[in-house]
Amino acid sequence: VQKIKDCKIVIHLAAFAGVRFGEEKPYDYFQNNVVVFEKILRAIEITKPRCFIYASSSSVYGNSGTNGPCAEKDATGLNLKSTYATTKWINEIQAKDFTRRTNIKTLGLRFFTVYGPLGRPDMAYFKYLKSMRENKVFEIYGKNGGSRNYTYVSDAVKAIEKISTLALGESIVSIPSILNIGFGKNLTSCRKVSEQLKQSQH
């Protein structure tokens, strides 16, 4: 509480991420992503910042994005495909209920596969790149290696900065409680991203 007592905005991006690990350790994911989130909300209720911004995930859409870009309203919680997605959906429910009770603005950012320097080593494109460098066979999941919307890490940071600036303005009430952070088009696949990363190393 002391560390955030004078903050106008609190940004919470920490979580246990990744779909596969969540299936192996569901209790750890629930403990870190849901229980800890609730503790942070308690601290927010005491310090009363102007806005609380937190990371959600495009995983809450399940397979909804197969036929095109997802709008925020497309997530219903009825087609969650992983423990990780479930914890992020619960976070959104927690935040909405928190705003209802306290009138403190919360903003959930649904990130779409953020990648780049210092990314998680368990992400597919890092695995593919490592296998290509070592001339090893690797397994690709999904059609064409999993076509999806990628967001470069610096673009994600810029989005957070712009949203934070808006949240400090007078129009904070008009900002939706949930926002997609992504380009909006499935431009490439895990395989192609890995190939691009490999080429950039030469």
Side-chain angles (χ1 to χ4, degrees):
V1 172
Q2 290 300 315
K3 292 182 179 180
I4 63 172
K5 66 177 182 177
D6 297 321
C7 294
K8 294 182 179 179
I9 293 180
V10 175
I11 301 173
H12 173 56
L13 304 179
F16 268 23
V19 171
R20 294 188 180 281
F21 288 157
E23 301 310 293
E24 297 172 5
K25 299 181 178 181
Y27 174 81
D28 291 342
Y29 270 59
F30 184 85
Q31 182 69 26
N32 283 275
N33 293 1
V34 177
V35 176
V36 171
F37 190 86
E38 186 63 36
K39 290 180 179 179
I40 293 173
L41 290 178
R42 290 182 185 177
I44 296 298
E45 187 170 3
I46 294 171
T47 58
K48 293 179 170 54
R50 184 169 173 79
C51 183
F52 173 59
I53 299 174
Y54 65 96
S56 187
S57 169
S58 61
S59 295
V60 301
Y61 291 113
N63 294 332
S64 298
T66 305
N67 299 320
C70 295
E72 286 83 355
K73 63 180 178 57
D74 293 336
T76 63
L78 300 178
N79 61 346
L80 302 172
K81 301 296 183 182
S82 67
T83 298
Y84 171 63
T86 301
T87 64
K88 294 284 94 180
W89 183 253
I90 293 174
N91 285 167
E92 293 187 8
I93 295 173
Q94 289 173 291
K96 290 174 183 176
D97 183 63
F98 175 78
T99 296
R100 178 190 62 79
R101 291 187 291 103
T102 66
N103 206 33
I104 296 174
K105 179 71 174 182
T106 60
L107 293 174
L109 308 183
R110 291 177 181 163
F111 292 101
F112 285 72
T113 314
V114 177
Y115 75 99
L118 301 179
R120 298 197 332 267
D122 63 293
M123 296 185 77
Y125 58 85
F126 274 131
K127 290 182 178 179
Y128 297 165
L129 180 58
K130 185 175 185 293
S131 296
M132 282 187 267
R133 282 178 170 173
E134 298 175 356
N135 199 28
K136 293 181 179 180
V137 175
F138 54 86
E139 187 172 1
I140 295 178
Y141 300 94
K143 184 179 180 182
N144 196 29
S147 178
R148 61 176 62 202
N149 191 311
Y150 290 87
T151 308
Y152 193 65
V153 62
S154 62
D155 293 326
V157 171
K158 289 176 183 176
I160 294 172
E161 290 176 342
K162 289 183 178 180
I163 291 167
S164 297
T165 299
L166 290 173
L168 285 173
E170 296 299 324
S171 60
I172 184 173
V173 177
S174 65
I175 303 175
S177 61
I178 297 293
L179 294 170
N180 284 340
I181 305 298
F183 186 65
K185 294 182 180 180
N186 291 337
L187 295 178
T188 188
S189 67
C190 289
R191 183 203 298 269
K192 291 180 181 178
V193 168
S194 298
E195 291 172 349
Q196 291 166 358
L197 287 171
K198 184 180 180 182
Q199 291 172 1
S200 69
Q201 299 298 315
H202 295 308

